[in-house]
Amino acid sequence: MGPRFRPRALPPDREIAAQVARGVGEATWRYRARVIVHAPAAYVRARLPIPAQVESVGEDRCAFEPGSDHPEMLALYLGMLHADFTIVDSPELVDALRKLTRRYQRAIDASQNQSD
């Protein structure tokens, strides 16, 4: 009895490594969101700490699906992109952004009162 399947060529090592890294990272995230970033895909890819699938949706816009164990951490990471963005679907992330906005505004207000 011969082989039950025909072996096929493997993709290049870097593609395999990127797919495994992406799969391992995504599998462990409790929260995920679809995000539209108002910047080119190449810019966003260069700012991300790990490889991620970033889809170009126009000359100056792209989309990706980041994840994190905590929506607050995801909100902070998105802020470090240094680009405007829109949350497509993640009420937890929107709530985390609201909480951070209020906290940062209190810090700004308190700091301005100190310098008066």
Side-chain angles (χ1 to χ4, degrees):
M1 193 169 199
R4 295 179 186 204
F5 65 93
R6 283 199 142 145
R8 56 186 169 153
L10 291 173
D13 287 346
R14 69 173 187 265
E15 287 180 31
I16 294 171
Q19 185 174 356
V20 169
R22 189 171 42 251
V24 168
E26 291 175 359
T28 61
W29 292 333
R30 285 184 62 198
Y31 296 96
R32 295 189 52 95
R34 181 155 173 85
V35 178
I36 304 294
V37 183
H38 304 275
Y43 172 84
V44 172
R45 279 188 208 101
R47 304 272 320 159
L48 296 176
I50 62 170
Q53 184 99 14
V54 180
E55 165 194 1
S56 181
V57 291
E59 193 172 305
D60 290 328
R61 289 181 0 146
C62 62
F64 76 117
E65 295 187 12
S68 176
D69 284 339
H70 305 282
E72 294 84 3
M73 186 62 71
L74 185 52
L76 292 171
Y77 286 141
L78 288 171
M80 291 188 292
L81 288 177
H82 298 286
D84 290 341
F85 57 90
T86 304
I87 309 302
V88 176
D89 62 359
S90 177
E92 300 92 352
L93 179 54
V94 171
D95 186 51
L97 287 166
R98 283 189 184 109
K99 288 177 184 175
L100 285 171
T101 299
R102 289 191 297 266
R103 182 172 298 127
Y104 288 156
Q105 189 60 56
R106 286 192 302 270
I108 291 167
D109 294 345
S111 298
Q112 287 175 339
N113 290 338
Q114 291 292 322
S115 56
D116 290 341

